[in-house]
Amino acid sequence: MKKLLRHSGIALVVIGGLTLVASQLAGWTDINGVQQAGLGLIIAGIFVHVAIVKRQSQY
């Protein structure tokens, strides 16, 4: 379980990126909610990843 939590930030970034790519391919470029959800997942993933790396650091 700890191994899955360690990579949750990267997973959020990937899911956010896939959301943006899927919305572009599906032609949902005029729907702001989908675009904002993808961007929000990417930003949340970055924050989660930095927090996890900072917690694991010994310095």
Coordinates of all heavy atoms in Angstrom, one line a residue:
M1 N 0.8 -1.2 0.0 CA 0.0 0.0 0.0 C 0.9 1.3 0.0 O 0.5 2.2 -0.7 CB -0.9 0.0 1.2 CG -1.9 1.0 1.2 SD -3.1 0.8 -0.1 CE -4.2 2.1 0.2
K2 N 2.0 1.2 0.8 CA 2.8 2.4 0.8 C 3.4 2.7 -0.6 O 3.7 3.8 -0.9 CB 4.0 2.2 1.8 CG 3.5 2.4 3.2 CD 4.7 2.3 4.2 CE 4.3 2.5 5.6 NZ 5.4 2.4 6.5
K3 N 3.7 1.6 -1.3 CA 4.3 1.8 -2.7 C 3.3 2.5 -3.6 O 3.7 3.3 -4.4 CB 4.7 0.4 -3.2 CG 5.5 0.5 -4.5 CD 6.0 -0.9 -4.9 CE 6.9 -0.8 -6.1 NZ 7.4 -2.0 -6.5
L4 N 2.0 2.2 -3.5 CA 1.0 2.9 -4.3 C 0.9 4.3 -3.9 O 0.7 5.2 -4.8 CB -0.3 2.2 -4.2 CG -0.4 0.8 -4.8 CD1 -1.8 0.2 -4.5 CD2 -0.2 0.8 -6.3
L5 N 0.9 4.6 -2.6 CA 0.8 6.0 -2.2 C 2.0 6.8 -2.6 O 1.9 8.0 -2.8 CB 0.6 6.1 -0.6 CG -0.7 5.6 -0.1 CD1 -0.7 5.6 1.4 CD2 -1.8 6.4 -0.7
R6 N 3.2 6.2 -2.7 CA 4.4 6.9 -3.0 C 4.3 7.4 -4.5 O 4.9 8.5 -4.8 CB 5.6 5.9 -2.9 CG 6.9 6.6 -3.1 CD 8.1 5.6 -2.9 NE 7.7 4.5 -2.0 CZ 8.4 3.4 -2.0 NH1 9.5 3.2 -2.8 NH2 8.1 2.4 -1.2
H7 N 3.6 6.7 -5.3 CA 3.5 7.2 -6.7 C 2.1 7.8 -7.0 O 1.8 8.0 -8.2 CB 3.7 5.9 -7.6 CG 5.0 5.3 -7.4 ND1 6.2 5.9 -7.7 CD2 5.3 4.1 -6.9 CE1 7.2 5.1 -7.5 NE2 6.7 3.9 -7.0
S8 N 1.4 8.2 -6.1 CA 0.1 8.8 -6.3 C 0.2 10.2 -7.0 O -0.7 10.6 -7.8 CB -0.7 8.9 -5.0 OG -0.1 9.7 -4.1
G9 N 1.2 11.0 -6.7 CA 1.4 12.3 -7.3 C 1.6 12.1 -8.8 O 1.0 12.8 -9.6
I10 N 2.5 11.2 -9.2 CA 2.7 11.0 -10.6 C 1.5 10.5 -11.3 O 1.2 10.8 -12.4 CB 3.9 10.0 -10.8 CG1 5.2 10.6 -10.1 CG2 4.1 9.7 -12.2 CD1 5.7 11.9 -10.7
A11 N 0.7 9.6 -10.6 CA -0.5 9.1 -11.2 C -1.5 10.2 -11.5 O -2.2 10.2 -12.5 CB -1.1 8.0 -10.3
L12 N -1.6 11.1 -10.5 CA -2.5 12.3 -10.8 C -2.1 13.1 -12.0 O -3.0 13.5 -12.7 CB -2.6 13.1 -9.5 CG -3.4 12.6 -8.3 CD1 -3.3 13.5 -7.1 CD2 -4.9 12.4 -8.7
V13 N -0.8 13.3 -12.1 CA -0.4 14.1 -13.3 C -0.7 13.3 -14.6 O -1.1 14.0 -15.6 CB 1.2 14.4 -13.1 CG1 1.7 15.0 -14.4 CG2 1.4 15.3 -12.0
V14 N -0.5 12.0 -14.6 CA -0.7 11.3 -15.8 C -2.2 11.2 -16.1 O -2.6 11.4 -17.3 CB -0.2 9.8 -15.6 CG1 -0.7 8.9 -16.7 CG2 1.3 9.8 -15.6
I15 N -3.0 11.1 -15.1 CA -4.5 11.1 -15.3 C -5.0 12.4 -15.8 O -5.8 12.5 -16.7 CB -5.2 10.7 -14.0 CG1 -5.0 9.2 -13.7 CG2 -6.7 10.9 -14.2 CD1 -5.4 8.8 -12.4
G16 N -4.4 13.5 -15.3 CA -4.8 14.8 -15.8 C -4.3 15.1 -17.2 O -5.1 15.6 -18.0
G17 N -3.2 14.6 -17.5 CA -2.7 14.7 -18.9 C -3.6 13.9 -19.9 O -3.9 14.4 -21.0
L18 N -3.9 12.7 -19.5 CA -4.8 11.9 -20.3 C -6.2 12.5 -20.5 O -6.8 12.4 -21.5 CB -4.9 10.5 -19.7 CG -3.7 9.6 -19.8 CD1 -3.9 8.3 -19.1 CD2 -3.3 9.4 -21.3
T19 N -6.7 13.2 -19.4 CA -7.9 13.8 -19.5 C -7.9 15.0 -20.5 O -8.8 15.1 -21.4 CB -8.3 14.4 -18.1 OG1 -8.4 13.4 -17.2 CG2 -9.6 15.2 -18.2
L20 N -6.8 15.7 -20.5 CA -6.7 16.8 -21.5 C -6.5 16.2 -23.0 O -7.1 16.8 -23.9 CB -5.4 17.7 -21.2 CG -5.6 18.5 -19.9 CD1 -4.3 19.2 -19.7 CD2 -6.7 19.5 -20.0
V21 N -5.8 15.2 -23.1 CA -5.6 14.6 -24.5 C -6.9 14.0 -24.9 O -7.3 14.2 -26.1 CB -4.5 13.5 -24.4 CG1 -4.5 12.7 -25.7 CG2 -3.2 14.1 -24.2
A22 N -7.7 13.3 -24.1 CA -8.9 12.7 -24.4 C -10.0 13.8 -24.8 O -10.7 13.6 -25.8 CB -9.5 11.8 -23.3
S23 N -10.0 14.9 -24.0 CA -10.9 15.9 -24.4 C -10.6 16.6 -25.7 O -11.5 17.0 -26.4 CB -11.0 17.0 -23.2 OG -9.7 17.7 -23.2
Q24 N -9.3 16.7 -26.0 CA -8.9 17.3 -27.3 C -9.3 16.4 -28.4 O -9.8 16.8 -29.5 CB -7.4 17.5 -27.3 CG -6.9 18.2 -28.5 CD -7.3 19.7 -28.6 OE1 -7.5 20.3 -27.6 NE2 -7.5 20.2 -29.8
L25 N -9.1 15.0 -28.3 CA -9.4 14.1 -29.3 C -10.9 14.0 -29.5 O -11.4 13.7 -30.6 CB -8.8 12.7 -29.0 CG -7.3 12.6 -29.1 CD1 -6.8 11.3 -28.6 CD2 -6.8 13.0 -30.5
A26 N -11.7 14.1 -28.4 CA -13.1 14.0 -28.5 C -13.8 15.3 -29.0 O -15.0 15.3 -29.3 CB -13.7 13.6 -27.1
G27 N -13.0 16.4 -29.1 CA -13.6 17.6 -29.5 C -14.3 18.4 -28.5 O -15.2 19.2 -28.8
W28 N -14.0 18.2 -27.2 CA -14.6 18.9 -26.1 C -13.8 20.1 -25.7 O -13.7 20.4 -24.5 CB -14.8 18.0 -24.9 CG -15.6 16.8 -25.1 CD1 -16.5 16.6 -26.0 CD2 -15.6 15.6 -24.3 NE1 -17.1 15.3 -25.9 CE2 -16.5 14.7 -24.9 CE3 -14.8 15.1 -23.2 CZ2 -16.7 13.4 -24.3 CZ3 -15.0 13.9 -22.7 CH2 -16.0 13.0 -23.3
T29 N -13.3 20.8 -26.7 CA -12.4 22.0 -26.4 C -13.3 23.2 -25.9 O -12.7 24.1 -25.3 CB -11.6 22.3 -27.6 OG1 -12.4 22.6 -28.7 CG2 -10.6 21.2 -27.9
D30 N -14.5 23.2 -26.1 CA -15.4 24.3 -25.7 C -16.0 24.1 -24.3 O -16.7 24.9 -23.8 CB -16.5 24.6 -26.7 CG -17.4 23.4 -27.0 OD1 -16.9 22.2 -26.7 OD2 -18.5 23.5 -27.5
I31 N -15.7 22.9 -23.7 CA -16.3 22.6 -22.4 C -15.2 22.9 -21.4 O -14.2 22.2 -21.2 CB -16.7 21.2 -22.3 CG1 -17.8 20.9 -23.3 CG2 -17.2 20.9 -20.9 CD1 -18.2 19.4 -23.4
N32 N -15.3 24.0 -20.6 CA -14.3 24.5 -19.7 C -14.1 23.6 -18.5 O -13.0 23.5 -18.0 CB -14.6 25.9 -19.2 CG -14.4 26.9 -20.3 OD1 -13.6 26.7 -21.3 ND2 -15.0 28.0 -20.2
G33 N -15.2 22.9 -18.1 CA -15.1 22.0 -16.9 C -14.1 20.9 -17.1 O -13.4 20.5 -16.2
V34 N -14.1 20.3 -18.3 CA -13.2 19.2 -18.5 C -11.8 19.7 -18.6 O -10.9 19.0 -18.0 CB -13.6 18.5 -19.9 CG1 -12.6 17.4 -20.2 CG2 -15.0 18.0 -19.8
Q35 N -11.5 20.8 -19.2 CA -10.2 21.4 -19.2 C -9.7 21.7 -17.8 O -8.5 21.5 -17.5 CB -10.2 22.6 -20.1 CG -10.7 22.4 -21.5 CD -9.8 21.5 -22.4 OE1 -8.5 21.6 -22.2 NE2 -10.3 20.7 -23.2
Q36 N -10.6 22.3 -17.0 CA -10.2 22.7 -15.7 C -9.9 21.5 -14.8 O -9.1 21.5 -13.9 CB -11.2 23.6 -15.1 CG -11.3 25.0 -15.7 CD -12.4 25.8 -15.3 OE1 -13.3 25.4 -14.6 NE2 -12.4 27.1 -15.6
A37 N -10.7 20.5 -15.0 CA -10.5 19.2 -14.2 C -9.1 18.6 -14.5 O -8.4 18.2 -13.6 CB -11.6 18.2 -14.5
G38 N -8.8 18.6 -15.8 CA -7.5 18.1 -16.2 C -6.3 18.9 -15.6 O -5.4 18.4 -15.1
L39 N -6.5 20.2 -15.7 CA -5.5 21.1 -15.1 C -5.4 21.0 -13.6 O -4.3 21.0 -13.0 CB -5.8 22.5 -15.5 CG -4.8 23.6 -15.0 CD1 -3.4 23.4 -15.6 CD2 -5.3 25.0 -15.4
G40 N -6.5 20.8 -13.0 CA -6.6 20.7 -11.5 C -5.9 19.4 -11.1 O -5.2 19.4 -10.1
L41 N -6.1 18.3 -11.8 CA -5.5 17.0 -11.5 C -4.0 17.2 -11.6 O -3.2 16.6 -10.8 CB -6.0 15.9 -12.4 CG -7.4 15.4 -12.0 CD1 -7.9 14.5 -13.2 CD2 -7.4 14.7 -10.7
I42 N -3.5 17.8 -12.7 CA -2.1 18.0 -12.9 C -1.4 18.8 -11.7 O -0.4 18.5 -11.2 CB -1.8 18.7 -14.2 CG1 -2.1 17.7 -15.3 CG2 -0.3 19.1 -14.4 CD1 -2.1 18.3 -16.7
I43 N -2.1 19.9 -11.4 CA -1.6 20.8 -10.3 C -1.6 20.0 -9.0 O -0.6 20.1 -8.2 CB -2.3 22.1 -10.2 CG1 -2.0 22.9 -11.5 CG2 -2.0 22.9 -9.0 CD1 -2.9 24.2 -11.6
A44 N -2.7 19.3 -8.7 CA -2.7 18.6 -7.4 C -1.7 17.5 -7.4 O -1.1 17.2 -6.4 CB -4.1 17.9 -7.3
G45 N -1.4 16.8 -8.5 CA -0.4 15.8 -8.6 C 1.0 16.3 -8.3 O 1.8 15.7 -7.7
I46 N 1.2 17.5 -8.8 CA 2.5 18.1 -8.6 C 2.7 18.4 -7.1 O 3.8 18.1 -6.5 CB 2.7 19.4 -9.4 CG1 2.8 19.1 -10.9 CG2 3.9 20.2 -9.0 CD1 2.7 20.3 -11.8
F47 N 1.7 19.0 -6.5 CA 1.8 19.3 -5.0 C 1.9 18.0 -4.2 O 2.7 18.0 -3.3 CB 0.5 20.1 -4.6 CG 0.6 21.5 -4.9 CD1 -0.4 22.1 -5.6 CD2 1.7 22.3 -4.6 CE1 -0.4 23.5 -5.9 CE2 1.8 23.7 -4.9 CZ 0.7 24.2 -5.6
V48 N 1.2 17.0 -4.6 CA 1.3 15.7 -3.8 C 2.6 15.1 -4.0 O 3.2 14.6 -3.0 CB 0.1 14.7 -4.3 CG1 0.4 13.4 -3.7 CG2 -1.2 15.3 -3.9
H49 N 3.2 15.1 -5.2 CA 4.5 14.5 -5.4 C 5.6 15.3 -4.7 O 6.4 14.7 -4.0 CB 4.8 14.6 -6.9 CG 6.1 14.0 -7.3 ND1 6.4 12.7 -7.2 CD2 7.3 14.6 -7.7 CE1 7.7 12.5 -7.5 NE2 8.2 13.6 -7.8
V50 N 5.5 16.6 -4.7 CA 6.5 17.4 -3.9 C 6.4 17.1 -2.4 O 7.4 17.0 -1.7 CB 6.4 18.9 -4.2 CG1 7.2 19.7 -3.3 CG2 6.8 19.2 -5.7
A51 N 5.2 17.0 -1.9 CA 5.0 16.8 -0.5 C 5.5 15.4 -0.1 O 6.2 15.2 0.9 CB 3.5 16.9 -0.1
I52 N 5.3 14.4 -0.9 CA 5.8 13.0 -0.6 C 7.3 13.0 -0.7 O 8.0 12.4 0.2 CB 5.2 12.0 -1.6 CG1 3.7 11.8 -1.3 CG2 5.9 10.7 -1.5 CD1 2.9 11.0 -2.3
V53 N 7.9 13.6 -1.7 CA 9.4 13.6 -1.8 C 10.0 14.4 -0.6 O 11.0 14.0 -0.1 CB 9.8 14.2 -3.2 CG1 11.3 14.5 -3.2 CG2 9.4 13.3 -4.3
K54 N 9.4 15.5 -0.2 CA 9.9 16.3 0.9 C 9.8 15.5 2.2 O 10.7 15.6 3.0 CB 9.1 17.6 1.0 CG 9.7 18.6 1.9 CD 9.0 19.9 1.8 CE 9.6 20.9 2.8 NZ 9.0 22.2 2.7
R55 N 8.7 14.7 2.4 CA 8.5 13.9 3.6 C 9.6 12.8 3.7 O 10.1 12.5 4.7 CB 7.1 13.4 3.7 CG 6.9 12.6 5.0 CD 5.6 11.9 5.0 NE 4.5 12.9 4.7 CZ 3.3 12.5 4.4 NH1 3.0 11.2 4.3 NH2 2.3 13.4 4.2
Q56 N 9.9 12.2 2.5 CA 10.9 11.1 2.5 C 12.3 11.6 2.6 O 13.2 10.8 2.9 CB 10.7 10.3 1.2 CG 9.4 9.5 1.2 CD 9.3 8.8 -0.2 OE1 10.1 9.0 -1.1 NE2 8.2 8.0 -0.3
S57 N 12.6 12.9 2.4 CA 13.9 13.4 2.4 C 14.4 13.4 3.9 O 13.7 13.7 4.8 CB 14.0 14.8 1.8 OG 15.3 15.3 1.9
Q58 N 15.7 13.2 4.0 CA 16.3 13.3 5.3 C 17.0 14.6 5.7 O 17.5 14.8 6.7 CB 17.4 12.2 5.5 CG 16.9 10.8 5.4 CD 18.0 9.7 5.4 OE1 19.1 10.1 5.6 NE2 17.6 8.5 5.3
Y59 N 16.9 15.5 4.7 CA 17.5 16.8 4.9 C 16.5 17.9 5.2 O 15.4 17.9 4.9 CB 18.3 17.2 3.7 CG 19.4 16.3 3.4 CD1 19.3 15.3 2.3 CD2 20.6 16.3 4.1 CE1 20.4 14.5 2.1 CE2 21.6 15.4 3.9 CZ 21.5 14.5 2.8 OH 22.5 13.6 2.6

